Amino acid sequence: RAAIAATADDGSGVETLSLLQAVVTNVSGALARLSNYDGTNAVPTLQDYADAGVQGVDASTIAAMNSALAVLASTVTDTAVEIQAVVDAYLVILAEANGAAADATPGVNPTAAHYALVGATTAGMLAGHGLALLNDVVGTLSSSGVDSIAELNALADAVSRVMLTASGGSPTPAVRVADLPHGPPSTTHVSVVA
């Protein structure tokens, strides 16, 4: 629908069955490239996202979005609606990663569902204090520190080990201060990790 709406307002872009078919084929091809991306095949472009009708992806976010698509099964990314949900979830995570800058979205923190939706399975399993610590850690980083699923899962793994240690457990490997980024320390970081 978005692809048809993006054609000329006078209807000339879809005035024949062949023109309409070309629009549909373009959208289908873009969706297939996005959905089938596994990190080893042709990397999706900004044009692929645009052709599929997915909004919110730009030069500063495409690496993160492609990282998510690479780990997600094609069965959960085979429609524009599903891909848009992944993009929207990752945008929430990227907005949290504001480094030393004031939080532009202070009332919005990523949920476990946001992390799970982008394919960060380790992060998606955190809840309560673990999720709060992960969001605190993400908030100390710039977006380049969380623009891959591997980075998100590594941070979540470190947070999981911190939380296990805090509850009296013995994670393997043991928690080290170096496991968490060295952004501006918060009270949470200092009291749990130091």
Side-chain angles (χ1 to χ4, degrees):
R1 180 175 161 194
I4 293 171
T7 62
D9 288 343
D10 65 2
S12 62
V14 291
E15 68 184 357
T16 67
L17 188 55
S18 64
L19 287 173
L20 180 58
Q21 184 60 48
V23 170
V24 171
T25 299
N26 194 38
V27 170
S28 296
L31 280 173
R33 284 186 294 281
L34 294 169
S35 180
N36 294 323
Y37 181 61
D38 65 5
T40 64
N41 49 352
V43 179
T45 65
L46 289 173
Q47 191 62 52
D48 289 327
Y49 286 93
D51 289 347
V54 176
Q55 299 177 347
V57 182
D58 60 26
S60 69
T61 62
I62 191 168
M65 304 313 163
N66 287 344
S67 176
L69 292 180
V71 301
L72 293 168
S74 61
T75 55
V76 297
T77 60
D78 57 358
T79 69
V81 170
E82 290 170 335
I83 295 169
Q84 187 66 61
V86 170
V87 168
D88 292 345
Y90 218 139
L91 289 174
V92 171
I93 296 166
L94 292 170
E96 186 73 10
N98 55 347
D103 194 346
T105 56
V108 179
N109 290 312
T111 64
H114 288 119
Y115 290 108
L117 194 57
V118 301
T121 54
T122 306
M125 292 187 294
L126 292 172
H129 298 298
L131 182 60
L133 178 59
L134 177 62
N135 285 337
D136 195 34
V137 170
V138 168
T140 68
L141 300 170
S142 68
S143 60
S144 66
V146 296
D147 64 355
S148 78
I149 301 307
E151 290 168 333
L152 288 174
N153 278 331
L155 291 172
D157 178 64
V159 166
S160 294
R161 289 183 286 124
V162 167
M163 299 314 291
L164 181 57
T165 302
S167 69
S170 299
T172 303
V175 177
R176 300 172 307 131
V177 173
D179 292 336
L180 295 174
H182 295 252
S186 70
T187 308
T188 306
H189 290 124
V190 174
S191 63
V192 175
V193 179

